[in-house]
Amino acid sequence: MPAVVQLPTGKAVTVRTAADLFLDSLGNPNTVRNYGSAVGKTAERLGEGRPFASVGDDEVGEALELLWGSSAVNTWNARRGAVLSWTGWCAERGYDGPSVPAWVKRLPPPDSDTPVRSKLAIDRLIARRDVHLREKTLWRMLYETCARSEEVLEVNVEDLDLAGRRCPVKAKGAQPKVRRRGGAREDYVLETVYWDAGTARLLPRLLKGRTRGPVFVTHRRPGPGKVVSARDVCPDTGLARLSYGQARALLDEHTAVRGPGTGWDLHEYRHSGLTHLGEAGASLLMLMAKSRHKKTETSVATSSRPRRRSPRSPACSRPATAGAEVRSACPGVVFARAPAAYRSTTVTPRRSRSRTMSSK
């Protein structure tokens, strides 16, 4: 009896070829770098010379477990998402291959314990003389707009409306206008953020007459081996856009007290601004418009986050320990306490002139 041979129903490629085709289809170099690590290591674990159609779904799941099973939750979700995009892209284009199994689930991110800084601590930090004007403007803009740091760092000078104190930003999870991958910033639905007088005073000093390019730029030009898009480079000065990692390191450098990595985080400005608005009596609609949250529960949870209390006085009835935060934001500065006579003195209100004249 002759043997029965199963004919291929799609395109037959190797694992390495499928990975290269997927990575070549990505237009953003940053996405290629991030996805290349996950897809490349997974392809190497599965066997680069194997036919892609011969790989089973469970083999992909086992490779993910062996490579990143003990990693952090965010790392696991990012690597799983990259491999899921790879297998989905191959299936859309007719390449026979596996898929990520259902038992390889996305893990919920851990609960955030972002502290809320007092307005006094934020003002004292921005007013320090050793802080550069670029960091002052960035921190003040993050606090007043209640925007995410990535959204503010991606803003260009031509996007600013200085008279209206507003600018459009590409929000987290922005909806695309067109059905194609790797679209530009203009291909997404942009949202508007607004700032206050503090940012309005600092922005003209920072720009110094510049009319195009990134608002927040580095002090050095990018190296010859770094791939930077045309939007991320100032055409007048040649300076590149300030990255999130650089901005986070600068904030940690100015606020760390117990060594590197112990300072403030950029996301604390967003939480602090929303919390201060909630304490000032802002309505729920105002908080949702400022934070641009889609769900009311998220805005309520963000604005009602409890302040971090001092470990020395856990039963203190004050809502925040502003003095401790100011001292942490200003390391090396000696704060003197007022004399006991001034602390115990009570100020009595003066009697009005009319009341004094009537008594006479």
Side-chain angles (χ1 to χ4, degrees):
M1 183 177 179
V4 178
V5 180
Q6 183 180 3
L7 298 177
T9 58
K11 304 175 185 178
V13 293
T14 61
V15 175
R16 184 71 264 175
T17 304
D20 293 339
L21 290 174
F22 169 69
L23 295 176
D24 293 340
S25 66
L26 303 176
N28 193 335
N30 296 327
T31 307
V32 174
R33 182 175 64 253
N34 296 332
Y35 278 30
S37 175
V39 175
K41 291 183 179 180
T42 306
E44 182 180 356
R45 186 73 186 181
L46 296 175
E48 299 180 345
R50 293 179 55 186
F52 194 56
S54 65
V55 181
D57 297 350
D58 292 337
E59 294 184 63
V60 178
E62 292 174 359
L64 290 174
E65 287 286 349
L66 291 174
L67 290 172
W68 300 287
S70 59
S71 302
V73 174
N74 294 333
T75 304
W76 164 263
N77 292 335
R79 302 299 182 265
R80 174 189 171 276
V83 175
L84 185 63
S85 300
W86 172 37
T87 56
W89 182 90
C90 293
E92 291 177 358
R93 281 146 184 82
Y95 296 106
D96 292 336
S99 60
V100 178
W103 54 269
V104 181
K105 298 183 180 297
R106 185 181 185 276
L107 300 178
D111 296 335
S112 176
D113 189 21
T114 305
V116 176
R117 306 296 177 178
S118 65
K119 190 176 185 303
L120 175 61
I122 295 175
D123 294 341
R124 291 291 298 269
L125 175 61
I126 297 177
R128 285 172 51 178
R129 294 187 176 182
D130 59 334
V131 177
H132 194 269
L133 178 61
R134 178 188 60 188
E135 282 75 63
K136 291 175 183 285
T137 310
L138 175 61
W139 300 342
R140 179 61 68 182
M141 194 171 184
L142 289 175
Y143 175 72
E144 293 183 352
T145 59
C146 298
R148 299 175 180 88
S149 53
E150 297 88 349
E151 300 170 353
V152 175
L153 290 173
E154 291 180 359
V155 175
N156 277 22
V157 180
E158 53 268 24
D159 301 330
L160 298 176
D161 183 5
L162 298 178
R165 296 182 181 180
R166 61 184 180 180
C167 69
V169 296
K170 179 184 175 183
K172 178 181 178 181
Q175 298 295 328
K177 299 179 182 178
V178 295
R179 297 184 58 185
R180 68 166 180 265
R181 297 178 182 271
R185 184 175 183 270
E186 293 76 13
D187 297 334
Y188 291 88
V189 178
L190 303 180
E191 299 178 356
T192 306
V193 297
Y194 301 85
W195 57 81
D196 210 341
T199 306
R201 288 192 296 265
L202 293 174
L203 273 176
R205 297 171 52 193
L206 176 67
L207 298 179
K208 294 181 180 179
R210 289 194 297 122
T211 58
R212 54 181 181 172
V215 176
F216 303 99
V217 295
T218 59
H219 298 311
R220 298 180 181 178
R221 297 185 178 184
K226 187 174 182 180
V227 180
V228 184
S229 62
R231 177 179 168 80
D232 296 335
V233 179
C234 179
D236 299 330
T237 61
L239 302 177
R241 185 186 305 275
L242 184 70
S243 65
Y244 174 81
Q246 293 171 331
R248 182 177 58 180
L250 289 171
L251 178 60
D252 182 76
E253 178 184 351
H254 288 90
T255 56
V257 179
R258 295 180 297 274
T262 61
W264 295 11
D265 188 76
L266 292 172
H267 200 60
E268 296 178 12
Y269 287 104
R270 174 178 169 85
H271 281 282
S272 301
L274 293 174
T275 302
H276 296 163
L277 285 176
E279 293 175 349
S283 63
L284 180 59
L285 294 178
M286 174 63 72
L287 292 175
M288 293 189 64
K290 194 70 173 178
S291 63
R292 292 168 287 116
H293 284 143
K294 306 303 180 183
K295 298 181 179 180
T296 57
E297 302 86 24
T298 309
S299 297
V300 172
T302 304
S303 60
S304 60
R305 184 182 299 273
R307 292 174 177 265
R308 176 172 292 181
R309 299 181 183 273
S310 174
R312 295 183 179 180
S313 56
C316 182
S317 59
R318 293 192 303 171
T321 55
E325 295 179 359
V326 172
R327 289 178 174 83
S328 63
C330 306
V333 180
V334 179
F335 296 89
R337 296 187 62 187
Y342 291 97
R343 294 199 304 268
S344 59
T345 303
T346 58
V347 180
T348 56
R350 296 182 59 184
R351 301 174 63 183
S352 61
R353 182 177 180 85
S354 59
R355 187 175 179 181
T356 306
M357 295 298 295
S358 62
S359 62
K360 291 181 180 180

